[in-house]
Amino acid sequence: MELLPGDRENLAIQTRGGPEKHEVTGWVLISPLSKEDAGEYECHASNAKGEATASAKIHVVETLHEIALTKGTVVEH
């Protein structure tokens, strides 16, 4: 079963007007963030003028040392 944003206590969808007239900017807030929140997220929007879709992947790390300096490289200390 796929969860919807309202099904998760740590996830909130936020929107505001702009940046241009007749536009809306939206984002997702995940707090607190945990390893279980890792994965791919999709946004689907539609109105009378058409449809748009975007996706993003979230990778949760334990420490800053796990963040790659360049794609595919992990710093080890």
Side-chain angles (χ1 to χ4, degrees):
M1 179 176 77
E2 185 175 347
L3 294 176
L4 297 174
D7 296 335
R8 297 179 47 192
E9 292 182 9
N10 69 330
L11 193 141
I13 306 297
Q14 309 262 331
T15 60
R16 69 169 180 81
E20 301 294 327
K21 187 176 180 179
H22 306 297
E23 286 186 349
V24 174
T25 299
W27 64 96
V28 174
L29 173 65
I30 304 173
S31 180
L33 184 67
S34 68
K35 285 272 190 187
E36 290 77 31
D37 296 310
E40 187 167 358
Y41 290 76
E42 293 183 354
C43 176
H44 302 274
S46 64
N47 64 19
K49 297 293 184 180
E51 298 179 3
T53 301
S55 65
K57 291 182 181 179
I58 293 179
H59 178 75
V60 180
V61 298
E62 294 288 332
T63 68
L64 292 178
H65 299 294
E66 293 181 51
I67 298 174
L69 294 176
T70 58
K71 188 174 183 178
T73 304
V74 176
V75 177
E76 295 182 21
H77 288 259

